[in-house]
Amino acid sequence: MQKELIIEGAKQYSGYITSHIPQENEEGAIRYYFSGSLAMLLLNSAKSFKPLLLDEKGKVINEEQEILIPNKNKNSLLKGVREIGSDVDVITIDEKTFARKGNIYHLAIIREKCDLATSLCSNWAKANGTMYFDWLTDERKFKDYNVAELTMLDGTKVFVTDPLYLTIHKFADALACKISIERLLNNGKSTVKKEGKYQKDLRDFASLFNGVVSLYSGIDFDKIIMHIIQACPDTAFSTIMQTNLEDKIEQFSSDISTLIDEENQKLFNKFIGSIDKQNRVISEIADDEVKIEH
C-alpha cells in the first residue's frame, strides 16, 4: 500500500508541475524533463514510452518506436519503488522555464495542491522553499539529450530521461558510492551510511534493468556508452570511466548478480562486457593525456 501511495504521489506531483509549467513550448520543443528517482517512479504509472533524441534546443532529431511495458516488467519496476530522498532531479533545456515560477513549486504550495506529496517524500512535511530542485544542467553542458516520452495509464504524457540512459547513470552512482566506501575505509571512518546507499543503488539498477532495459531491441552498449560521454563529459559516468575500474566492475557484477532475472543475465553480461571494454579504452586515453601534460 505504501508503494502504491508513493507511485500515486509521483504521478500527482508531476501532473501538477507539468500542467502549470508545460514541458513543451509552442513550437513543440521540450523545455525540461525529469530524471533520477522521480523518473523511475513515473515509469510505474506508464503504459509505454518512446525514446527520443533532442538537439541542444530541445527539438526532436530522432524518434524510436514506442515500447509497451508489460505487467511482468511492472513487477520488476515495483521492486525499486521508494520515497525520493528530498530533491527532484530536473534537466532544463530552456533555462528560462522556471524563472519567476517559485509560487507554483514552493513546497508549501505543493503540500496544499498535492495531498500525496509527503507520501512521495516525507522530508517535505516540514521543509519549505523552492530549492528542492536539483538542476542537473547548472554545471553541465549537454550537446544533446536522450529523453523518453511516457504515455501514462490515463493517457497523459510526461518527459523523463530515457530509461536506458537512466540505468547506466545508476550504474555510475553505484560505482561512485563504492569508491567513496573504499576511501572511508582507508581513512578509518564509518561506511554504514554509504553501504546503505550502495545497496539502494544496486536495487535501483536491477529494477530498471529487469523492468525496462530488457524491453529494448538490438542494444549496442558500446555505442551508447560513447554517446553518453560525448553528449556530456561532466556526468558522474563520464568522470569515473576515465579511471581504471576493472576490480570495481567485477565487484559490481558479483554484488548484483542475484538481483538480475535469469532471462536477463545474458543481456547483463553483454552490458558488463561493454562497460569493461570501453573503460579500458577511455581510462588509457585519459592516462596518456595526463602523461603528455606532465
Side-chain angles (χ1 to χ4, degrees):
M1 183 62 182
Q2 183 58 33
K3 287 192 174 186
E4 292 175 3
L5 285 175
I6 293 172
I7 293 169
E8 285 299 314
K11 176 65 174 65
Q12 184 189 62
Y13 171 82
S14 67
Y16 167 76
I17 295 293
T18 57
S19 65
H20 288 80
I21 308 174
Q23 291 186 285
E24 294 179 275
N25 64 20
E26 294 177 354
E27 288 75 41
I30 297 173
R31 307 162 75 201
Y32 73 96
Y33 57 98
F34 299 115
S35 192
S37 300
L38 181 61
M40 282 186 64
L41 291 172
L42 290 173
L43 284 166
N44 285 273
S45 298
K47 60 182 178 183
S48 64
F49 63 95
K50 183 188 297 183
L52 307 171
L53 178 63
L54 313 179
D55 66 15
E56 60 183 5
K57 293 184 178 179
K59 295 182 179 179
V60 177
I61 55 179
N62 188 54
E63 182 176 314
E64 297 184 24
Q65 289 291 321
E66 187 172 20
I67 300 173
L68 297 176
I69 307 177
N71 287 334
K72 179 188 176 186
N73 295 69
K74 286 287 185 69
N75 290 334
S76 296
L77 289 170
L78 192 62
K79 294 178 182 178
V81 171
R82 55 176 172 75
E83 286 187 20
I84 65 173
S86 60
D87 295 337
V88 173
D89 291 339
V90 179
I91 296 178
T92 51
I93 300 174
D94 179 355
E95 61 183 20
K96 298 178 183 178
T97 301
F98 289 87
R100 296 181 295 278
K101 299 287 178 58
N103 60 317
I104 293 173
Y105 61 90
H106 191 286
L107 281 177
I109 303 297
I110 292 299
R111 285 194 297 270
E112 178 185 336
K113 302 294 184 180
C114 303
D115 63 316
L116 295 176
T118 54
S119 295
L120 171 63
C121 179
S122 58
N123 288 333
W124 290 354
K126 297 180 180 179
N128 276 308
T130 59
M131 298 303 291
Y132 66 96
F133 275 145
D134 188 357
W135 310 106
L136 299 183
T137 42
D138 275 0
E139 299 177 354
R140 301 171 186 171
K141 178 75 173 175
F142 289 82
K143 294 179 180 178
D144 53 41
Y145 303 87
N146 289 95
V147 177
E149 179 187 62
L150 303 186
T151 298
M152 312 307 278
L153 295 174
D154 62 5
T156 57
K157 310 284 187 178
V158 185
F159 294 101
V160 301
T161 298
D162 185 326
L164 175 55
Y165 289 77
L166 184 60
T167 308
I168 294 175
H169 288 300
K170 284 292 181 182
F171 162 81
D173 288 344
L175 261 67
C177 190
K178 198 68 174 176
I179 292 170
S180 180
I181 289 170
E182 289 187 359
R183 190 177 298 119
L184 288 170
L185 284 172
N186 291 336
N187 292 326
K189 296 182 179 180
S190 173
T191 63
V192 174
K193 188 175 181 179
K194 285 291 182 179
E195 287 286 0
K197 183 183 182 306
Y198 180 65
Q199 293 302 319
K200 175 184 70 65
D201 289 339
L202 291 179
R203 291 192 296 272
D204 284 352
F205 178 92
S207 171
L208 284 166
F209 198 90
N210 292 323
V212 286
V213 175
S214 58
L215 298 175
Y216 291 75
S217 60
I219 301 176
D220 185 339
F221 286 118
D222 286 352
K223 183 178 179 181
I224 291 167
I225 290 166
M226 293 311 299
H227 178 77
I228 291 176
I229 292 170
Q230 291 166 1
C232 183
D234 302 319
T235 63
F237 178 78
S238 299
T239 301
I240 67 168
M241 285 293 280
Q242 296 179 46
T243 306
N244 188 304
L245 301 170
E246 183 178 359
D247 59 331
K248 293 174 182 62
I249 293 171
E250 184 177 346
Q251 185 64 54
F252 173 85
S253 181
S254 174
D255 291 342
I256 204 170
S257 61
T258 58
L259 299 178
I260 302 299
D261 293 344
E262 185 177 350
E263 62 265 33
N264 296 325
Q265 287 286 342
K266 186 175 180 180
L267 182 64
F268 176 72
N269 290 336
K270 182 180 176 183
F271 166 75
I272 287 295
S274 184
I275 284 285
D276 186 52
K277 180 176 69 173
Q278 294 298 326
N279 175 241
R280 291 172 190 270
V281 173
I282 295 165
S283 61
E284 285 177 6
I285 292 173
D287 284 344
D288 289 341
E289 289 177 348
V290 170
K291 290 176 183 177
I292 291 173
E293 290 176 1
H294 289 79

